[in-house]
Amino acid sequence: GFDGKIPFFTYEMMGEQTILVLMSQKANPETMDRKNYPFHPVLNHNEEFETVDTYVIDIKAKDPRYPYSRKTVWVDKNKFSVLYFQAYDKNGKFWKGFWNGAQVRPLKTTYGEEPYRIQSASGITDFKTGYWIETITGGLSMNHGVEPEYFRPETLSGGTW
């Protein structure tokens, strides 16, 4: 929700909702033809959206200086990932919208290639300025030599390897 600073916010479960999400994106954002899809290379393709059951959570900043007065997030009930959020300015007016899309891709591992659902693209739109930012995931690989003993609290919290 808010950059991992959980104690700085209050949380309220608003309910559950079924939403449309791009969870099985066909077009590969890394290789698609951006000249023919200049406005939104992911959503301009003939993609099939699917319904996903979500929890709807309202998150409010405790600090009045925080740029968003609140966020509403839609969290996948099965994977616990944020699929959408809406952010509101200090006056409570809708300001930004965010979405995540997913794709099943071959993932390179030490065992070869395996199908894996990854976040393939995400976007955030500032509805006050009309500015759009897109993030595309590419070249993902996993299981390449990191030993299990490195996953200790001291190494994950900034300790040395």
Side-chain angles (χ1 to χ4, degrees):
F2 282 93
D3 215 12
K5 298 174 181 157
I6 294 170
F8 295 7
F9 305 92
T10 62
Y11 302 83
E12 181 181 354
M13 176 70 80
M14 303 301 292
E16 299 177 11
Q17 187 175 17
T18 301
I19 60 173
L20 283 174
V21 185
L22 182 59
M23 293 299 288
S24 300
Q25 179 182 332
K26 294 176 191 148
N28 186 336
E30 295 177 68
T31 59
M32 65 180 60
D33 178 10
R34 290 183 179 269
K35 288 183 181 180
N36 291 323
Y37 300 98
F39 301 109
H40 194 284
V42 175
L43 298 180
N44 278 328
H45 285 75
N46 292 325
E47 297 288 356
E48 294 179 18
F49 285 70
E50 56 194 84
T51 58
V52 175
D53 293 327
T54 64
Y55 296 112
V56 183
I57 302 169
D58 199 50
I59 305 171
K60 293 181 182 166
K62 292 179 182 177
D63 185 344
R65 297 172 298 168
Y66 196 78
Y68 303 145
S69 63
R70 67 181 249 266
K71 271 185 173 180
T72 303
V73 297
W74 284 259
V75 178
D76 185 322
K77 288 174 69 174
N78 295 317
K79 296 179 179 59
F80 299 105
S81 60
V82 174
L83 300 175
Y84 292 127
F85 80 64
Q86 294 178 347
Y88 298 83
D89 66 15
K90 293 180 183 184
N91 296 319
K93 293 187 178 180
F94 178 56
W95 180 11
K96 294 180 182 177
F98 171 88
W99 67 273
N100 272 325
Q103 183 177 59
V104 177
R105 291 194 194 171
L107 182 67
K108 296 175 187 171
T109 70
T110 54
Y111 308 107
E113 287 192 352
E114 301 173 20
Y116 192 77
R117 185 180 301 267
I118 63 164
Q119 176 183 322
S120 54
S122 64
I124 187 165
T125 302
D126 183 324
F127 285 92
K128 289 184 177 184
T129 64
Y131 191 72
W132 166 266
I133 298 172
E134 179 180 38
T135 303
I136 296 174
T137 304
L140 181 67
S141 63
M142 293 175 64
N143 300 333
H144 283 276
V146 178
E147 299 298 326
E149 65 264 14
Y150 292 128
F151 292 94
R152 299 186 313 259
E154 59 272 15
T155 59
L156 297 174
S157 62
T160 59
W161 290 55

